Amino acid sequence: MSCFLSNSSVGKKFVMSVTGCFLVLFILFHMAMNLTAIISPEGYDAVCAFLGANWYALAGTVVLAAGVVLHFLFALLLTLQNYRARGTQRYAVTVKEPGVSWASKNMFVLGFIILVGLGLHLYNFWAKMQLVEIMGGHENVLGFGPTDGAALVAYTFSQWYYVVIYLVWFFALWFHLTHGVWSMFQSVGWANGTWYPRLKCIANIVATIVFLGFALVVIVYFLRSFCGAC
């Protein structure tokens, strides 16, 4: 089984599909959680406290980290395999898309941008919240408690450069999902001439919901800080 997953192209795509599905579900959950910060900062802080450094949150963090590592590792293996087999032609699919999309030809590049953005996000939030709690601290370097999520969001997005960086990150994620969501169904054999346009439409809807949900939090908090400074 392990040889099939690591040596077979189909096996690698299967791992990409499973980990991709898991990560999309997490992204949707994380987006919904973030939207709480707009409606009720107190409610958002309560969610942060519920997750925190509790055993279930730590277990989820480990599983999530493993999913990200596996997804990126197998993406790297597939990209190298495709380069060796077809030169610069990447991400061949069984259903021919009329006019290959830019995203489908640059999934690895988009994935790398997303990974860099994830590193920044971990620095801005995880390292100042859950990690602080894990280390037994009562406040981070900014003076916020590890469960003061809304205050940390407000501080981070009061700075225009973080607003720009995060919006670029979300835009890269949108491109990645417009191809990735339908591709994960195609990789397990669910895409055909009938279902391809439907899955493509679903992928665009999911990607747009994710982009708008995350971007809304950033923009709302930036506008609040901007108006508060006026």
Side-chain angles (χ1 to χ4, degrees), residues 21-138:
C21 181
F22 167 71
L23 293 174
V24 168
L25 291 175
F26 170 78
I27 288 170
L28 288 170
F29 162 76
H30 193 37
M31 180 206 69
M33 185 184 80
N34 283 6
L35 288 173
T36 306
I38 297 177
I39 303 169
S40 171
E42 296 78 13
Y44 182 71
D45 287 347
V47 174
C48 293
F50 174 74
L51 295 176
N54 298 303
W55 68 267
Y56 47 83
L58 294 177
T61 300
V62 172
V63 172
L64 178 62
V68 171
V69 170
L70 283 174
H71 193 74
F72 186 79
L73 176 61
F74 277 81
L76 178 61
L77 292 174
L78 272 174
T79 300
L80 293 175
Q81 176 180 299
N82 287 337
Y83 266 123
R84 285 196 298 265
R86 292 181 293 274
T88 58
Q89 182 181 346
R90 289 162 284 173
Y91 286 91
V93 296
T94 56
V95 178
K96 184 64 177 178
E97 183 178 357
V100 180
S101 69
W102 182 88
S104 68
K105 295 187 294 182
N106 294 276
M107 286 295 282
F108 186 78
V109 174
L110 289 168
F112 183 77
I113 295 173
I114 292 167
L115 196 64
V116 172
L118 177 61
L120 177 64
H121 187 61
L122 290 175
Y123 168 77
N124 280 334
F125 291 95
W126 180 78
K128 294 179 176 66
M129 296 179 72
Q130 190 180 66
L131 182 59
V132 171
E133 197 170 350
I134 292 172
M135 300 301 291
H138 297 290

Side-chain angles (χ1 to χ4, degrees), residues 153-172:
V153 170
Y155 170 81
T156 302
F157 299 124
S158 66
Q159 303 170 74
W160 67 267
Y161 48 88
Y162 275 136
V163 173
V164 173
I165 292 172
Y166 270 78
L167 289 178
V168 170
W169 183 34
F170 298 152
F171 198 50

Side-chain angles (χ1 to χ4, degrees), residues 141-230:
V141 295
L142 299 174
F144 300 131
T147 61
D148 293 338
L152 187 56
V153 170
Y155 170 81
T156 302
F157 299 124
S158 66
Q159 303 170 74
W160 67 267
Y161 48 88
Y162 275 136
V163 173
V164 173
I165 292 172
Y166 270 78
L167 289 178
V168 170
W169 183 34
F170 298 152
F171 198 50
L173 182 61
W174 180 85
F175 269 115
H176 195 75
L177 292 178
T178 55
H179 178 77
V181 170
W182 80 261
S183 183
M184 72 184 181
F185 288 106
Q186 182 271 334
S187 295
V188 295
W190 288 5
N192 52 43
T194 300
W195 273 98
Y196 170 76
R198 298 173 184 174
L199 293 175
K200 187 68 175 176
C201 180
I202 291 172
N204 289 337
I205 292 172
V206 170
T208 302
I209 289 174
V210 167
F211 174 80
L212 292 177
F214 280 124
L216 182 63
V217 176
V218 172
I219 294 171
V220 166
Y221 269 85
F222 175 71
L223 292 177
R224 284 178 181 176
S225 68
F226 181 78
C227 293
C230 294

